[in-house]
Amino acid sequence: MNKETSKTQDRRILRTKRAIRNAFITLLAEKELEKITIKEIAERADVDRKTVYNYYNGISAILEELENEFFATIQEAFDEFDFKKQRGMEFFDALAALVEKNFELYELLMRIDRSSRLSAKLVEYVKRKISFAISWTQGRALEKINLATEFVAAGILASYKHYFQGDRKKPLKEFSREMGAIILGGLNGIYF
């Protein structure tokens, strides 16, 4: 097989996988995860069931690929953020901008009940990054750093889940800034 044939096949594979994923995302927006079938995905993607199974061993594999990409995007944003130079609120602005780039997909992923595996993965990653940011600032006790990072990471994720599952009366950036103000300033900044 020559290079041109290989490139054509690679593009065809990518197009087919994209069609399958897009069909899955469309169905996920219409119905609960448990009610989606491979047959429906194949019909929407305009491929046969066998083609879907050539690339994914089931619906959970499609979802896992989407979750992994979501997680990789979050990792990329954190890796680009310089906690030593940038202020905390800038992080929440950057996070909101990142989510807005692919809002519909993130909304669907955050609304799925099964997202606890993704949630746990995100919380652990955010904890590591926040722990790093806190630990270099001052010599703090490890126990306090662990408590703070657990609280903040879980709070960020729970807040975004609440936003996506709620009525979303305000823009995401405004919501993220309010969440950031609470996290950075604590309840004292709101009530006292």
Side-chain angles (χ1 to χ4, degrees):
M1 180 180 343
N2 65 32
K3 264 187 170 177
E4 282 302 313
T5 305
S6 177
K7 282 184 182 180
T8 302
Q9 286 180 337
D10 289 346
R11 281 193 296 254
R12 191 170 41 228
I13 289 168
L14 290 174
R15 267 195 311 270
T16 303
K17 285 184 81 170
R18 190 177 312 118
I20 292 167
R21 288 165 40 122
N22 288 341
F24 173 72
I25 291 168
T26 301
L27 287 164
L28 194 56
E30 296 172 4
K31 57 171 61 177
E32 294 175 27
L33 176 66
E34 296 77 26
K35 295 182 179 179
I36 298 173
T37 66
I38 291 292
K39 181 182 179 208
E40 290 174 306
I41 294 170
E43 287 172 358
R44 291 274 178 110
D46 199 23
V47 297
D48 44 65
R49 290 178 54 196
K50 181 181 163 199
T51 302
V52 175
Y53 282 114
N54 282 340
Y55 299 110
Y56 301 101
N57 64 4
I59 291 171
S60 62
I62 301 169
L63 181 59
E64 185 175 340
E65 184 174 281
L66 291 169
E67 289 174 343
N68 288 340
E69 287 176 11
F70 173 69
F71 182 71
T73 303
I74 297 295
Q75 277 184 303
E76 185 178 313
F78 266 108
D79 290 346
E80 290 176 5
F81 192 82
D82 187 345
F83 285 97
K84 292 179 183 178
K85 294 180 181 172
Q86 294 172 288
R87 305 301 304 156
M89 196 54 79
E90 292 171 333
F91 169 75
F92 291 99
D93 289 343
L95 190 56
L98 171 76
V99 172
E100 284 177 340
K101 285 182 186 176
N102 208 345
F103 188 88
E104 292 80 18
L105 176 59
Y106 296 161
E107 175 185 29
L108 292 172
L109 290 175
M110 295 302 277
R111 286 177 32 202
I112 297 173
D113 289 337
R114 182 189 162 275
S115 68
S116 61
R117 186 181 68 203
L118 175 63
S119 297
K121 194 174 177 180
L122 284 168
V123 166
E124 284 305 311
Y125 181 75
V126 171
K127 280 172 43 180
R128 282 195 314 272
K129 287 303 200 175
I130 293 172
S131 179
F132 170 76
I134 292 173
S135 66
W136 63 261
T137 57
Q138 298 172 6
R140 299 187 194 260
L142 184 60
E143 186 178 318
K144 283 187 178 182
I145 290 173
N146 289 338
L147 178 62
T149 57
E150 181 75 37
F151 179 77
V152 171
I156 290 171
L157 188 63
S159 296
Y160 274 110
K161 279 187 171 188
H162 174 76
Y163 178 82
F164 282 116
Q165 293 172 352
D167 56 17
R168 297 188 306 267
K169 290 182 180 177
K170 57 183 76 178
L172 181 62
K173 184 173 183 175
E174 183 180 339
F175 173 83
S176 292
R177 290 195 126 247
E178 286 179 2
M179 177 181 53
I182 292 168
I183 289 171
L184 296 172
L187 292 177
N188 284 336
I190 298 172
Y191 294 110
F192 305 105

